Amino acid sequence: MKPLFVFEMANNHMGDVDHGVRTIRAIREACEGFDDCFDFAFKLQYRDLDTFIHASMRGRDDVKYIKRFEETRLSDEAFRTLVAEMETQGFRTVCTPFDERSVDRIDAHGIDTIKIASCSFTDWPLLERIARADKPVIASTAGSTLEEIDNVVSFFLHRGKDLTLMHCVAEYPTPDEALQVNQIGLLRERYPDCRIGYSTHESPDNTVAVMLAMAKGATVFEKHVVLPTERYPANAYSADPRQIRDWLAAARRALQICGSSERYVPSAAERASLTSLRRGVFALRAIPAGAEIDDSMIEIAFPPSEGQLTANDWSKYSRFVAREAIPAGGPVMHAAVEEQHLRGKVLQAVTAVKALLKAGNIVVPGKSDLEISHHYGMERFSEFGLTMVTVVNREYCKKLLVMLPGQTHPEQYHEQKEETFVVLHGDLTLWLDNEQQRAKAGDVITVNRGVRHKFHTEGGAVFEEISSTHYKDDSFYTDPAIAQNPRRKTWLTYWM
């Protein structure tokens, strides 16, 4: 979704509909060349002046805003003309109502989005009427407490409204030291279900603030605009078309500098630069074709050649078999080996194990190591395997065993260890000396020394093992292929 820029005309149409039309067209021209980066909207303000201003205060020239509002009054027909021009120029239409009758007018004029001014943020009679309109809502938060923002967000989200919150400071113009751009981050973290924006009142020549706001993650921006003439001079916080163009250019530059919010894809040049600084894998001795390459056969040193395995490729999750003979001292090239990388499969297994433990409400002691048994290789872990957490292993031993849906643990026996299993969650089928039995949560099964045992689960299972001391060399598999697999275990310390 592109960032949205909202241009606020407020009363800068000066009560002159022709001047308002010229302003809309001038701002449209200022946006030329930026449509590939941004979406644009134009905003009006509606007040039903005959009811908005109390009868006793109408016509007062000594009250600043009353004089301003009354001098710039427009008819319903004039507002419709401005809305039509906004649509003609390709702008989305936005309007700020300051009273309930103005929301009725927004509905009647077919305006796309309702904007709530900061002064109206907790005007509950007005918010109730806005909530009944079938339109997205943008709300400025200047001067509001977190409790007030919480209440307004809850009010609109509970009613299923599309809500954008705008960080805003209501000083006109706002000095740099009062901009509080970090509030954007606070709003983003506290209200993840809302789009967060920045409504600006700083000096119109200030292009730094929009860059900072973009970097902080704002995606909606609002600024007062003006078309100065001899008759209608600019105020101190509204931007003219040239200043708007500079503002958009700064925002585009910030967007380019900030880049993606997802993890970026490095360029070919960056990859090449990093690879050239890595250590390469070299053969310590001649490696025959067909040999699995292990740590004893290689050394890792700088510099690497193009296409050579590097230290970054070499890990306990990777397996390399020579396709061709590799001479002693020579670089081990990617083209010369068959590669198998299992890190992704291991992470998938850990994620599934966590989910099953959570489903069974199983409490796992903190900082427990995870042992993944992949008897026929990690590539067949979904068929054959088991995951184990050793809680204690002294003269007595306790483990948590996790089997994922569809897994089988191959047949084995122990000569020294006797063990009892308590099923905590899920279903388990066991074979004890080829005799099958089924178990469910709460069942207890004891396996004596020398008894061959095998497990299978259809829907996944978590069971507890309580036993005498576990010894590494006391597991004997009836399938000799398992014992011949030296990489059938993976241990993880940081998995919780």
Side-chain angles (χ1 to χ4, degrees):
M1 184 183 296
K2 295 179 187 176
L4 174 65
F5 283 76
V6 181
F7 303 112
E8 159 75 275
M9 183 149 61
N11 296 95
N12 285 339
H13 50 69
M14 305 307 294
D16 180 337
V17 68
D18 291 333
H19 182 69
V21 168
R22 287 193 296 271
T23 300
I24 294 168
R25 292 174 179 174
I27 297 302
R28 176 64 258 184
E29 289 180 11
C31 296
E32 291 301 320
F34 294 99
D35 296 86
D36 58 333
C37 299
F38 308 131
D39 289 326
F40 298 111
F42 215 95
K43 185 167 83 72
L44 298 171
Q45 294 183 357
Y46 284 178
R47 295 173 181 86
D48 186 69
L49 295 178
D50 294 332
T51 57
F52 179 75
I53 301 172
H54 192 268
S56 66
M57 300 296 289
R58 293 172 197 156
R60 292 278 296 270
D61 289 343
D62 58 328
V63 181
K64 174 184 174 183
Y65 288 113
I66 291 178
K67 183 175 186 293
R68 169 77 164 163
F69 296 157
E70 290 188 333
E71 285 181 346
T72 57
R73 180 193 291 261
L74 285 177
S75 67
D76 188 80
E77 182 182 357
F79 275 125
R80 287 182 183 273
T81 298
L82 294 179
V83 172
E85 186 63 30
M86 290 156 60
E87 293 172 339
T88 298
Q89 296 300 328
F91 287 115
R92 299 185 192 179
T93 56
V94 184
C95 187
T96 298
F98 288 87
D99 51 77
E100 293 83 347
R101 290 191 180 186
S102 292
V103 183
D104 296 339
R105 176 176 283 178
I106 285 172
D107 281 336
H109 292 183
I111 287 172
D112 300 324
T113 301
I114 295 177
K115 166 71 194 303
I116 300 170
S118 295
C119 62
S120 304
F121 190 73
T122 52
D123 182 335
W124 291 105
L126 178 59
L127 300 190
E128 290 281 0
R129 175 61 187 89
I130 289 171
R132 294 199 300 272
D134 185 22
K135 298 181 186 298
V137 175
I138 301 173
S140 284
T141 60
S144 298
T145 66
L146 284 177
E147 181 180 3
E148 288 170 334
I149 301 174
D150 288 346
N151 290 338
V152 171
V153 169
S154 176
F155 173 82
F156 281 115
L157 294 189
H158 181 70
R159 288 157 177 77
K161 307 303 286 189
D162 179 350
L163 179 62
T164 297
L165 291 176
M166 306 291 281
H167 165 56
C168 179
V169 177
E171 293 185 44
Y172 302 84
T174 312
D176 287 356
E177 60 272 18
L179 288 173
Q180 298 287 343
V181 177
N182 279 339
Q183 294 294 302
I184 293 167
L186 183 152
L187 295 175
R188 288 185 66 204
E189 183 175 353
R190 192 175 182 93
Y191 308 107
D193 296 326
C194 298
R195 196 174 181 185
I196 304 301
Y198 178 47
S199 183
T200 75
H201 297 124
E202 65 267 12
S203 167
D205 286 322
N206 183 332
T207 57
V208 173
V210 71
M211 298 180 76
L212 294 174
M214 184 76 73
K216 289 292 181 180
T219 58
V220 181
F221 302 85
E222 181 186 27
K223 196 173 194 68
H224 286 259
V225 296
V226 67
L227 183 63
T229 67
E230 289 186 8
R231 183 178 180 186
Y232 305 127
N235 57 40
Y237 56 87
S238 298
D240 63 30
R242 177 193 61 79
Q243 291 166 326
I244 286 296
R245 192 158 184 82
D246 291 343
W247 189 58
L248 293 175
R252 179 169 62 188
R253 184 180 178 203
L255 187 67
Q256 293 166 343
I257 292 171
C258 290
S260 174
S261 58
E262 305 294 332
R263 186 58 186 165
Y264 80 107
V265 178
S267 66
E270 183 183 7
R271 286 187 182 278
S273 174
L274 290 171
T275 300
S276 69
L277 293 168
R278 291 172 176 167
R279 296 181 298 156
V281 177
F282 296 85
L284 271 176
R285 60 177 184 269
I287 300 174
E292 182 173 343
I293 306 172
D294 60 32
D295 291 344
S296 68
M297 301 178 183
I298 59 104
E299 64 176 336
I300 296 174
F302 183 83
S305 302
E306 185 175 351
Q308 183 179 357
L309 263 67
T310 69
N312 305 64
D313 302 308
W314 197 268
S315 81
K316 65 181 180 182
Y317 301 109
S318 300
R319 180 170 179 261
F320 302 96
V321 176
R323 296 177 187 269
E324 58 192 56
I326 302 171
V332 180
M333 309 299 288
H334 281 282
V337 297
E338 292 180 5
E339 304 180 33
Q340 186 179 41
H341 300 284
L342 302 176
R343 182 179 295 274
K345 292 184 180 295
V346 170
L347 293 178
Q348 286 177 0
V350 169
T351 300
V353 166
K354 285 183 179 180
L356 197 55
L357 289 168
K358 183 177 180 180
N361 293 315
I362 311 299
V363 176
V364 180
K367 300 183 179 179
S368 298
D369 288 353
L370 193 72
E371 178 183 323
I372 301 176
S373 296
H374 34 86
H375 306 88
Y376 298 107
M378 198 66 205
E379 63 274 14
R380 297 189 67 189
F381 183 68
S382 61
E383 302 173 73
F384 298 97
L386 176 143
T387 305
M388 183 184 328
V389 178
T390 300
V391 178
V392 62
N393 186 28
R394 295 170 63 86
E395 293 182 8
Y396 48 89
C397 178
K398 176 179 174 177
K399 301 178 182 179
L400 288 171
L401 308 179
V402 182
M403 294 182 67
L404 302 177
Q407 275 189 324
T408 296
H409 185 284
E411 187 178 71
Q412 65 172 351
Y413 64 92
H414 309 290
E415 293 182 348
Q416 301 181 63
K417 182 172 71 168
E418 179 179 282
E419 52 197 355
T420 295
F421 301 114
V422 181
V423 181
L424 304 178
H425 174 73
D427 67 274
L428 195 64
T429 302
L430 304 89
W431 289 265
L432 304 181
D433 282 342
N434 291 324
E435 185 175 334
Q436 179 178 318
Q437 64 183 87
R438 297 185 184 277
K440 62 183 184 305
D443 288 348
V444 179
I445 305 100
T446 294
V447 180
N448 293 315
R449 294 178 180 89
V451 173
R452 302 188 313 277
H453 48 283
K454 171 173 96 166
F455 313 119
H456 176 77
T457 179
E458 289 296 327
V462 181
F463 52 108
E464 188 176 50
E465 175 189 316
I466 303 168
S467 72
S468 54
T469 305
H470 171 82
Y471 299 98
K472 288 185 177 180
D473 57 355
D474 188 37
S475 293
F476 302 94
Y477 289 92
T478 55
D479 182 355
I482 296 175
Q484 294 168 10
N485 176 11
R487 295 175 177 242
R488 67 176 187 268
K489 301 278 189 181
T490 297
W491 288 270
L492 299 172
T493 298
Y494 304 103
W495 66 281
M496 290 291 288

